[in-house]
Amino acid sequence: MESTRPFSSSPAPSPAAPIIALVDDDRNILASVQMTLEAEGFIVHTYTDGESALQGIVSRPVSLAVLDVKMPRMDGMELLQRLRARSTLPVIFLTSKDEELDQLMGLRLGADDYITKPFSQRLLIERIRALLRRQDASRAEATGTAARGAALVRGQLSLDETRHQCLWNGQDIALTVTEFLLVKALALRPGMVKSRDQLIDAAYGDNIYVDDRTIDSHIKRVRKKFRQVDDEFNYIETLYGIGYRYRDE
C-alpha cells in the first residue's frame, strides 16, 4: 500500500524537492516519519510492504529509499537485492538494535548506510541529507570534470563522473554512490594506503559516523562486482590492520 498525501501542516514542497521512498510495515512509524520529512521539504512516498514498494519505485523513480528489514510480501533484504539489480539508488537500511547480521547483510547487498531502531528522526534526516549531498557533490564535480574533458583512468579502470560510470576493461560496473566514491578515493593515488578512517571521510564526509565494518563490507561488494566481469581482479588490496590501497600498475 502506498501513500503520497502530504500532511496539511507541512509546507508545499518545491518542484525540485528530493523524493524519498519510505518503506515500513509499521504505520505509526510511516505517519510520524512522513510528517517530519515533509516538514523538512521532502516529498515522501510511503509503502507498507516490499512488493508494493518495488512496483512504486520502478514506476515512479525516487531520490533515495529508506527500507525496513522485516516486512510482509517481500522483506527489506529481497527488496534491496531487486533494487540493486536495477539501479544504484541511494539506500538507507533500518535494522533492529540487536540485529547485527541484518546490518552486515544490508551493507553486503549494497545499502549505502544503516540506522538502528529505535532511531532519532533528526538523525535519519541528517543521514538522508548527507547521502543526498554526497550524490549532489559527485554530480557537481562531474560537471567540472566534463568541462575539462577528463576522466580518471588507471590502466583498465575508467571513472567517468559525468555519467557516474565505472568501466573495467570497457565493461560497465554498476556502483552505488558510496562504492563509486570509495573506488575513486583509492584510485586517485595508486600504491598509497588509505586508512578506513580516510575512506569513511571520502565516502561519508566529516559529520557521519560509521564503523570499520561498514567500509569492509563496501569493499567486499566492490571486489565482487569487479570479479563478475574479471575473475582475476586483484587491484584493491587489503593491508591488515592498516587499510586499503589501489595496486600500482
Side-chain angles (χ1 to χ4, degrees):
M1 179 178 178
E2 175 192 5
S3 170
T4 59
R5 179 181 60 82
F7 287 84
S8 58
S9 59
S10 302
S14 69
I19 304 172
I20 308 300
L22 180 62
V23 191
D24 198 307
D25 63 337
D26 187 324
R27 294 178 184 273
N28 291 327
I29 290 178
L30 284 183
S32 176
V33 176
Q34 179 183 10
M35 182 168 60
T36 300
L37 291 177
E38 288 178 341
E40 293 290 324
F42 296 103
I43 298 170
V44 183
H45 297 175
T46 64
Y47 304 90
T48 56
D49 64 82
E51 188 173 311
S52 63
L54 179 63
Q55 294 172 357
I57 293 170
V58 169
S59 62
R60 293 190 299 165
V62 297
S63 308
L64 180 146
V66 179
L67 312 181
D68 188 28
V69 176
K70 296 176 174 60
M71 297 182 295
R73 297 180 64 210
M74 186 188 299
D75 65 18
M77 294 292 184
E78 183 177 353
L79 174 57
L80 178 59
Q81 284 183 295
R82 295 200 180 192
L83 288 174
R84 280 290 168 259
R86 296 169 177 267
S87 74
T88 57
L89 172 73
V91 172
I92 296 175
F93 229 44
L94 298 179
T95 69
S96 299
K97 184 176 182 180
D98 298 324
E99 294 295 331
E100 181 180 23
L101 181 60
D102 286 345
Q103 299 165 10
L104 294 177
M105 283 299 297
L107 292 171
R108 288 169 184 168
L109 291 173
D112 293 283
D113 202 351
Y114 69 86
I115 295 178
T116 57
K117 291 183 175 182
F119 58 89
S120 157
Q121 293 193 20
R122 178 50 55 186
L123 174 62
L124 176 60
I125 290 169
E126 290 305 314
R127 292 292 182 92
I128 289 172
R129 291 196 186 282
L131 189 49
L132 292 175
R133 280 198 302 270
R134 285 157 50 199
Q135 184 169 247
D136 289 344
S138 179
R139 288 171 178 168
E141 188 172 344
T143 302
T145 302
R148 295 190 298 272
L152 178 61
V153 178
R154 296 285 184 264
Q156 298 177 76
L157 174 69
S158 175
L159 294 173
D160 185 344
E161 292 184 283
T162 306
R163 300 176 177 85
H164 186 80
Q165 183 179 58
C166 174
L167 299 177
W168 180 259
N169 197 23
Q171 297 187 69
D172 187 65
I173 310 291
L175 300 178
T176 67
V177 174
T178 303
E179 292 164 354
F180 193 96
L181 292 173
L182 287 174
V183 173
K184 174 189 169 186
L186 291 169
L188 276 172
R189 302 188 69 185
M192 303 297 292
V193 179
K194 288 280 189 180
S195 70
R196 288 173 176 81
D197 285 342
Q198 289 174 318
L199 291 174
I200 288 170
D201 289 343
Y204 288 90
D206 298 330
N207 298 320
I208 297 298
Y209 170 77
V210 297
D211 60 30
D212 292 352
R213 292 171 300 177
T214 301
I215 294 298
D216 293 342
S217 293
H218 285 310
I219 293 294
K220 287 179 182 178
R221 183 166 175 81
V222 166
R223 284 174 172 154
K224 180 179 179 181
K225 288 184 175 183
F226 276 89
R227 285 170 182 162
Q228 287 174 343
V229 301
D230 180 357
D231 57 11
E232 296 184 355
F233 177 83
N234 62 354
Y235 278 77
I236 297 178
E237 300 178 326
T238 302
L239 283 80
Y240 293 98
I242 303 175
Y244 296 93
R245 72 182 170 198
Y246 189 85
R247 184 161 65 85
D248 205 353
E249 293 287 344

